[in-house]
């Protein structure tokens, strides 16, 4: 029996949507470990997580978007494993984990189809005027404007990883022309999907739709702001389902409000939960969802079972 196996007897789950899923909680308990659950029904603050870990003294933890840094780790001296529920790692100080010899269990791309489908929902709602038409009908207005087809558009995908490549495959079925940009050479992967890798500025200049699928890092923070708004087509739809730090939200929303950008669709925000101002809420070309990209029933189960698998693997 390994040292890690001997020490994993208690598992703390702070990821709120994991806790709300009875199937996942049942499957975790079937591992034979003592399980402590976040009972707040929401993302824990740093102080709340510290208190939670101090009380339950976990050997392993399943976390979502909660901040995991040295101060938080100090609250759980027996911790040996963190299993990530989801795919983003920007909330986890990996250097601090290494310093404390805490293993990180993570599976990339586990919710890629859910996010890719949300992008398509935004795109169809905007370009086919589906979203605007629904609102007009609710107000008793009969306005026939079917917009344009995705097959007639060039789509620029920024970040050609798990979600970006999955989205490219879906767009290929629609007949869209796809270009992509990544910090590494993805030309071979792009060609296999009928896409073409180009520079960031070329993508911005030529795309009818620009969608971001990059991690939240120092390199990607604010990568779409005032400079990029001067380059991108004024008629373009910009989408962000990656991390709120990637785009300058204030600059992008102002561009839509002033007619300098065709539309903005976002699922992630500078801070969450995010409250829209009346001006933004009243704009028919700004589309906002409450971070539901990876929140389909299928994705929740896939992310949860991935986290459970990392706990199980540590017990073998």
């Amino acid at each position: 029996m390994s040292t890690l196996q001997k020490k994993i007897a208690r598992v703390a789950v702070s990821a709120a949507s994991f806790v709300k899923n009875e199937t996942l909680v049942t499957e975790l308990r079937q591992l034979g470990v003592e399980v402590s659950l976040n009972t707040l029904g929401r993302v824990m603050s740093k102080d709340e997580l510290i208190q939670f870990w101090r009380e339950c003294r976990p050997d392993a933890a399943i976390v979502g978007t909660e901040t995991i840094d040295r101060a938080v780790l100090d609250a759980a001296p027996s911790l040996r494993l963190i299993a990530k529920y989801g795919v983003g790692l920007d909330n986890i100080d990996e250097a601090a984990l290494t310093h404390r010899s805490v293993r990180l269990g993570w599976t990339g791309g586990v919710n890629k189809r859910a996010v890719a489908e949300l992008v398509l929902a935004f795109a169809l709602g905007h370009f086919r005027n589906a979203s605007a038409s629904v609102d007009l009908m609710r107000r008793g207005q009969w306005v026939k404007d079917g917009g344009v087809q995705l097959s007639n558009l060039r789509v620029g995908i920024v970040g050609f990883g798990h979600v970006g490549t999955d989205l490219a495959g879906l767009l290929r079925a629609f007949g869209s022309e796809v270009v992509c940009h990544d910090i590494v050479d993805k030309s071979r992967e792009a060609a296999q999907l009928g896409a073409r890798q180009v520079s960031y500025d070329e993508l911005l200049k030529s795309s009818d739709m620009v969608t971001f699928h990059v991690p939240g890092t120092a390199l990607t923070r604010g990568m779409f702001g005032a400079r990029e708004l001067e380059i991108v087509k004024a008629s373009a739809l910009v989408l962000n389902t990656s991390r709120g730090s990637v785009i300058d939200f204030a600059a992008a929303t102002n561009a839509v409000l002033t007619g300098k950008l065709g539309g903005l669709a976002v699922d992630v925000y500078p801070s969450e939960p995010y409250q829209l101002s009346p001006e933004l809420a009243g704009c028919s070309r700004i589309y906002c969802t409450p971070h539901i990209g990876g929140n389909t029933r299928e994705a929740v189960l896939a992310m949860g079972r991935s986290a459970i698998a990392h706990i199980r693997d540590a017990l073998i």
Side-chain angles (χ1 to χ4, degrees), residues 29-243:
R29 285 185 167 137
Q30 287 173 346
L31 296 182
V33 293
E34 179 184 331
V35 178
S36 298
L37 302 174
N38 168 10
T39 59
L40 299 177
R42 56 170 173 76
V43 176
M44 284 181 157
S45 68
K46 182 176 175 178
D47 288 342
E48 289 168 340
L49 182 59
I50 287 173
Q51 184 62 31
F52 178 51
W53 280 7
R54 281 176 178 166
E55 291 174 356
C56 61
R57 298 173 293 114
D59 306 307
I62 296 178
V63 306
T65 59
E66 305 80 38
T67 297
I68 308 297
D69 58 15
R70 291 186 180 236
V72 174
L73 292 172
D74 286 343
S78 63
L79 192 69
R80 295 293 175 268
L81 170 70
I82 284 182
K84 173 67 179 184
Y85 172 76
V87 297
L89 298 177
D90 51 301
N91 60 308
I92 298 176
D93 185 339
E94 296 184 62
L97 264 60
T98 300
H99 178 75
R100 285 281 306 277
S101 299
V102 176
R103 183 188 301 179
L104 175 62
W106 172 82
T107 304
V110 70
N111 63 358
K112 62 182 180 181
R113 177 52 56 90
V115 178
E117 286 190 0
L118 180 61
V119 173
L120 289 179
F122 279 139
L124 290 168
H126 177 78
F127 287 110
R128 288 302 318 277
N129 279 339
S131 297
S133 295
V134 167
D135 288 340
L136 288 169
M137 285 289 288
R138 284 174 175 163
R139 296 199 297 268
Q141 299 180 45
W142 183 271
V143 180
K144 293 189 68 173
D145 181 355
V148 298
Q149 298 173 186
L150 294 188
S151 57
N152 195 43
L153 302 177
R154 172 180 283 188
V155 178
I157 301 175
V158 183
F160 212 58
H162 293 291
V163 177
T165 53
D166 195 57
L167 176 61
L170 296 177
L171 287 167
R172 186 178 190 180
F174 277 89
S176 303
E177 179 186 356
V178 177
V179 294
C180 66
H181 174 72
D182 201 286
I183 59 173
V184 300
D185 183 4
K186 294 293 186 71
S187 56
R188 178 177 297 181
E189 292 89 336
Q192 291 173 345
L193 291 165
R196 182 168 56 91
Q197 185 167 2
V198 298
S199 71
Y200 185 37
D201 283 3
E202 181 180 342
L203 182 149
L204 293 174
K205 289 177 183 177
S206 64
S207 297
D208 302 296
M209 168 177 145
V210 178
T211 179
F212 290 88
H213 302 287
V214 295
T217 67
L219 187 63
T220 63
R221 186 174 296 114
M223 70 179 298
F224 185 83
R227 186 192 81 88
E228 290 73 26
L229 282 164
E230 292 296 322
I231 299 173
V232 74
K233 286 185 176 182
S235 59
L237 171 68
V238 171
L239 305 94
N240 184 21
T241 58
S242 57
R243 284 292 181 263

Side-chain angles (χ1 to χ4, degrees), residues 269-285:
Y269 304 86
S271 61
E272 298 182 11
Y274 191 85
Q275 186 68 47
L276 291 177
S277 67
E279 186 176 30
L280 297 185
C283 181
S284 63
R285 291 177 294 112

